[in-house]
Amino acid sequence: MYPAVDTQIERTLYDQDVRYTEGRRQVVAALSAADGPRSAGELVAELAAPLPLSSIYRTLAVLAAAGVVVPHYSTKGLTRYELAEWLTGHHHHLVCAECGTVEDVEIPDAFERELRALVSGIGEHAGFSPTSHALEIEGRCEGCS
Amino acid sequence: MYPAVDTQIERTLYDQDVRYTEGRRQVVAALSAADGPRSAGELVAELAAPLPLSSIYRTLAVLAAAGVVVPHYSTKGLTRYELAEWLTGHHHHLVCAECGTVEDVEIPDAFERELRALVSGIGEHAGFSPTSHALEIEGRCEGCS
DNA sequence: TTCCTTGCAAACGATTTGCATTGGA
DNA sequence: TCCAATGCAAATCGTTTGCAAGGAA
């Protein structure tokens, strides 16, 4: 985990009067160590010390409200979370159609710029105001192919 | 609903020995009339004659297995379905961060071509074999802004 | 007649919530 | 000290499934 990220989160939470407790640090550490979004259930297994599911859900809700983590809705009704892009950098997702795992991927800057331009252009469509975009690439991961 | 679409579905199901019953026709009609993906719960309200939820779920499962509809996983653990792209054409989604509704949108051909090229290029990354892609544009819809 | 489909109700699994206890600033 | 955070158990909610009845070939 990058100490810089931890410091940024510490400050963000402090500014919002949200406590950065031990349990919340654990969850952040696990998300930071992951190479993609994680569900509450997946996190219990990856935490240094296992926390009750309800605490993980509450922690994720708090961190999401604070803008530190972002939810992604995936297969089987699972909600997976990852650190927000202002902490980890902008990226997209490789979604395995077989096993449902999600992996982060970055795309070339030049293309990213075009994508951004296109997305803001969409704003004209039906009065929609875009705030962000996400490209999901579906396919088969290494393990499932 | 486009009769052509209905005919295509009819044939597809027939070829797979899957019955195209009245209930299934109703669900297809509702999806066809919708301007974006719909969850089972949303469909009950939009059907001509209300069907029990369990039947809708089963119908959606059958249609998905037959390649006629495709699931999208969205907010609050809701799974929304829409007719497959070979029936309606390739498109992307405008997702409202406020109310969670999803609307279809098409992007310029030129950009779509680049997107496709980029996505297949990703294949080199970590042995991932892309089969499709989806661009989700998040923002605020007309009603929520 | 023979399966497939449907309805209803019960079962499931992910997520949420009430409440009493513990912990942090 | 005092309010927020946590653990546990019970409650929700979307979705799935077992089983008996209805429908199409």
Side-chain angles (χ1 to χ4, degrees):
Chain A
M1 134 112 102
Y2 301 102
V5 167
D6 203 51
T7 305
Q8 284 177 293
I9 294 176
E10 207 157 40
R11 179 169 311 165
T12 302
L13 295 183
Y14 182 82
D15 289 346
Q16 300 183 50
D17 288 311
V18 174
R19 292 186 195 160
Y20 197 21
T21 62
E22 188 50 33
R24 294 176 184 175
R25 284 173 196 275
Q26 297 293 331
V27 169
V28 165
L31 288 176
S32 175
D35 63 346
R38 291 288 185 272
S39 69
E42 289 163 346
L43 284 174
V44 258
E46 295 171 15
L47 286 172
L51 288 175
L53 267 174
S54 62
S55 297
I56 296 183
Y57 280 114
R58 273 196 270 235
T59 290
L60 291 171
V62 166
L63 295 178
V68 169
V69 305
V70 170
H72 293 280
Y73 307 98
S74 49
T75 49
K76 290 195 304 176
L78 273 186
T79 302
R80 289 183 225 255
Y81 295 79
E82 67 180 352
L83 296 182
E85 297 198 329
W86 66 270
L87 290 164
T88 59
H90 183 57
H91 61 266
H92 297 281
H93 289 144
L94 300 175
V95 182
C96 179
E98 191 75 13
C99 64
T101 56
V102 184
E103 195 183 341
D104 292 344
V105 65
E106 284 182 34
I107 67 176
D109 272 5
F111 197 85
E112 191 57 55
R113 275 193 293 276
E114 285 183 68
L115 204 50
R116 203 158 22 235
L118 172 81
V119 165
S120 65
I122 301 281
E124 297 160 19
H125 179 95
F128 194 88
S129 324
T131 56
S132 70
H133 66 269
L135 177 62
E136 307 252 305
I137 301 176
E138 212 177 293
R140 212 157 275 242
C141 74
E142 196 152 31
C144 289
S145 57
Chain B
M1 133 112 100
Y2 301 101
V5 167
D6 203 50
T7 304
Q8 284 178 292
I9 294 176
E10 209 156 39
R11 179 169 311 165
T12 302
L13 295 183
Y14 182 81
D15 289 347
Q16 300 184 49
D17 287 312
V18 174
R19 292 187 196 159
Y20 197 20
T21 62
E22 188 49 33
R24 292 175 185 176
R25 283 173 196 276
Q26 298 293 330
V27 169
V28 165
L31 288 176
S32 175
D35 62 347
R38 292 288 185 272
S39 69
E42 290 164 346
L43 284 174
V44 259
E46 295 170 16
L47 285 172
L51 289 176
L53 267 175
S54 63
S55 296
I56 296 183
Y57 279 113
R58 272 197 270 236
T59 290
L60 290 171
V62 167
L63 296 178
V68 169
V69 305
V70 170
H72 293 280
Y73 307 98
S74 49
T75 49
K76 291 195 302 176
L78 274 187
T79 302
R80 290 184 224 253
Y81 294 79
E82 67 180 351
L83 295 182
E85 297 198 328
W86 65 271
L87 290 164
T88 59
H90 183 57
H91 60 266
H92 297 281
H93 288 145
L94 300 174
V95 183
C96 179
E98 190 75 13
C99 64
T101 58
V102 184
E103 195 183 342
D104 291 344
V105 65
E106 283 181 36
I107 67 176
D109 271 5
F111 197 86
E112 191 58 54
R113 273 193 294 277
E114 286 184 67
L115 204 50
R116 203 157 23 234
L118 172 81
V119 165
S120 64
I122 302 281
E124 298 162 18
H125 178 94
F128 194 88
S129 326
T131 56
S132 69
H133 65 269
L135 177 61
E136 306 254 306
I137 301 177
E138 214 179 289
R140 210 157 276 241
C141 73
E142 197 153 28
C144 290
S145 56

